[in-house]
Structures are given as structure tokens and as C-alpha cells.
Amino acid sequence: MTVSAHGPVDVVCLGESMVTFLPTRAGRLADVPSFLRGIGGAESNVACALAAAGHHTRWVGRVGADGFGDHLTEAIAAYGVDTSAVTRDPERPTGIYFRTATDRATDAHEVQYYRAGSAASAMSPRTVSYDALWSGRMLHLSGITAALSSDCLALMRDLTAGRDGRPLVSFDVNHRPGLWRDPSGAKVLLELARGADIVFVGEDEAQEAWGVRGADAIRDALPEPAVLVVKRGAEGAVVYDRCAQGLPDTVTPAPAPHVTVTAPVGAGDAFAAGFLSATLRGLSSRERLRHGHLWAAATLTVDADLAVPPSAVHADRLVALDDDAWGRLHLGPGWTGQDQEVRTP
């Protein structure tokens, strides 16, 4: 195992990160006069959240030899993430995007991407270091990368192929229909998920992508992963853990706590990071799901795509609540800090 300046690598995350421009006020993109710069990327979000919680993470990506590439690598490294395996492309730019301030689920929400031909789209089995990718206890991927280019898809297929010696592979389906050039994307995502060890998928996206309705039906469509996490929005999540051959899965549900939502962006990445953090700690299935919910709640209660997760001591105390107390838990802005807003009425 590779040892970084901070110790052995826990999780390696591969994917495109972009500079994101966030509006200074609500309204159409045509009407917003100015934007604030941030960073965005599903896999780098996971790496940053895990690093903020004290895990040793590495982000593997490809950025342009430009100022936006400088900003991305510096901002991600500031969370404590190892960016030594990030490569620079002198011929292709760093991807950027602009979005409105409205909820992504509404028709008023706009996102304008400038990522076609980006440096990240040139990632392939030839341009990415496998030593870096296989240097941690886990490798975290998402379906977004597969949609960027044929080279990226070839890389994803190679990384999810069964082979001896690979780390534990975590895969977040992240179905983004707008990124795929043809309808085959949904089938490709199912293929990639079948090669992973831990899979995250939303009930709604499984229905949209594969026409599969309900958690049990999703498990029937994805029997291969040792761990399948089906996210059910505000209702919570359920995890399917494969048992010994011939025995049925262990199925563990965990409702989500009540959350006063400030902004819904980034919650899925935070949930995955919280679940993986608890997995690294060897916690039970229910505890893994509850940590995922708490990390998602940390992001839901801030304006940014990224939030510092709750401390392990604080989260462990909440995770240990009995079912009745957990069901009464209500998390609002500031709940992870000194002035916690945690109510159990």
C-alpha cells in the first residue's frame, strides 16, 4: 500500500472536478450579474469530505494547464486531500459550469456546462496511473466519469473488471442522462455497477435508468455487489449485505432524520462519504447508513456543495440513539458546530 505524507491511503477517488460559478442572487442565468467561484465534482467531493473527517484520501484527476486547474488542485488539497497523482493537460482546458440558485429538482433550475473536450475527458487506461488508483484500501468511482468520453468509459470498464489484487471498489451510479450521447448510458451504468463491491443508487434514478421499481427489485437487477445501498430520499436508505453462498442477504433499513434543508446540492456525495467512513471503521450496517444520513444532513444544512462532516464523537453519539430518539431527531443549520441545532422534541 502506498504511504502518503500523512500515512497509508484510505480512499482513492477518480473523476472530473470542475470550477463552478455560483450566482450571487436568485434568477435566470441571463439575469444574474455576478458569480462566486467554487469547486464541484462528485468524486472529489467524497475525497474532500473524508479528508475533512481525518481519513487519508487521494484524488486522481486530469485538469488543464490553466488557472482553473491551479485553483482546483489547490482548493482540493486544502481539505487535506493528496493531489500528487493529478495530471495536467497542456492541450485541453479545465471544465467549468454555471448554475442558478434554485433547487435542482425544479424547472427553474439552470446549469450550463463547459466541459466538452475537457482535460478530464482525456482520462484513459493510458493516461492515468494505476499505481495511484490502486494505492488505497478503497477506490471510489461514479457513473459520471463513464459518460465523459469513450476513453473514460474504457478506463471505467477496466477498473470495475474483476481481477486479483484490486482494492475494494465503491461505485455511485450517478445517472446523468444529459451527459450521455445515446440511450446506452443506462445499460452501461448497470454493467459497471455489477463489477463493483459497494454500489450506491437512488430508488428514483434506478426507475428512470432501468425501469426498476423498489429496493428489492433493484437488488434483483444488481445481485453481484457485496453491498448495495438503495437511497430513498427523505425516507432514508436500505442496505443489502451479501451473506455466505446460499443464504439470503441481510437487509437493513435506516430512516433519515428530519432535516431543515438550506440547499440540496451535494447530499448524495456526502452520504456516500459518510457510509464509506463508517465502513473503514468497521461499523455495522445500520451505523453505516446512519453516518451516511448525518453526513448528508451536514451538507443539506449549508449553502455550499461541501460541508465539514460532524465529528466522529458527535456523530457516534447520535448514531447510538434508539429508534424512537432517532425518529425524533431534527437537524438544522449549525447543528455540527458549537451552536448545534439538534432537536429531539
Side-chain angles (χ1 to χ4, degrees):
M1 179 181 294
T2 296
V3 178
S4 71
H6 304 289
V9 178
D10 293 320
V11 182
V12 176
C13 299
L14 166 79
E16 179 175 34
S17 191
M18 294 178 289
V19 173
T20 175
F21 289 92
L22 311 174
T24 53
R25 73 180 192 196
R28 303 181 309 156
L29 285 177
D31 300 328
V32 175
S34 59
F35 297 80
L36 299 173
R37 185 180 62 178
I39 62 172
E43 303 85 359
S44 59
N45 283 349
V46 171
C48 290
L50 285 167
H55 295 286
H56 301 147
T57 63
R58 170 172 287 149
W59 174 56
V60 178
R62 191 173 180 86
V63 299
D66 50 33
F68 288 144
D70 293 340
H71 174 64
L72 272 177
T73 53
E74 291 167 7
I76 292 171
Y79 280 87
V81 178
D82 181 344
T83 59
S84 61
V86 175
T87 54
R88 310 298 291 262
D89 191 323
E91 299 178 356
R92 298 175 181 85
T94 304
I96 64 173
Y97 72 96
F98 297 78
R99 69 171 174 87
T100 52
T102 51
D103 187 337
R104 281 181 176 173
T106 69
D107 292 337
H109 184 69
E110 297 174 73
V111 181
Q112 186 63 52
Y113 289 101
Y114 297 89
R115 74 195 307 178
S118 69
S121 70
M123 291 189 295
S124 75
R126 302 178 304 278
T127 62
V128 175
S129 166
Y130 276 60
D131 286 343
L133 290 175
W134 287 30
S135 62
R137 295 168 60 188
M138 289 184 186
L139 171 62
H140 180 69
L141 310 168
S142 95
I144 295 172
T145 304
L148 298 180
S149 68
S150 58
D151 281 342
C152 285
L153 176 54
L155 175 62
M156 291 291 288
R157 281 180 165 146
D158 197 41
L159 293 175
T160 54
R163 62 178 70 190
D164 294 334
R166 79 174 192 184
L168 199 68
V169 173
S170 164
F171 180 73
D172 193 335
V173 171
N174 261 326
H175 181 228
R176 305 285 175 85
L179 285 179
W180 292 92
R181 296 175 178 83
D182 58 65
S184 68
K187 183 179 179 181
V188 169
L189 293 176
L190 189 61
E191 168 201 334
L192 296 174
R194 285 173 170 159
D197 301 298
I198 302 172
V199 172
F200 300 93
V201 63
E203 231 177 8
D204 54 349
E205 66 178 340
Q207 183 173 346
E208 180 184 20
W210 308 320
V212 176
R213 184 188 296 271
D216 288 344
I218 295 170
R219 182 51 161 173
D220 289 341
L222 273 173
E224 295 87 356
V227 178
L228 172 66
V229 181
V230 179
K231 298 176 289 183
R232 310 180 72 184
E235 293 184 23
V238 58
V239 60
Y240 294 78
D241 287 293
R242 190 172 62 216
C243 296
Q245 189 171 5
L247 295 176
D249 286 340
T250 299
V251 183
T252 308
H258 302 288
V259 179
T260 300
V261 177
T262 299
V265 181
D269 303 331
F271 179 93
F275 187 92
L276 295 179
S277 173
T279 300
L280 289 165
R281 296 173 60 198
L283 302 184
S284 70
S285 296
R286 187 182 79 156
E287 291 168 330
R288 296 177 191 187
L289 287 176
R290 285 190 172 187
H291 275 281
H293 289 321
L294 291 174
W295 286 39
T299 297
L300 288 168
T301 51
V302 298
D303 286 320
D305 293 13
L306 274 168
V308 176
S311 69
V313 171
H314 186 185
D316 285 346
R317 180 177 63 82
L318 297 179
V319 164
L321 293 173
D322 62 34
D323 290 343
D324 287 341
W326 177 264
R328 296 192 303 270
L329 193 62
H330 193 139
L331 307 174
W335 73 271
T336 63
Q338 294 286 329
D339 299 317
Q340 299 163 1
E341 186 179 343
V342 180
R343 302 187 299 276
T344 53

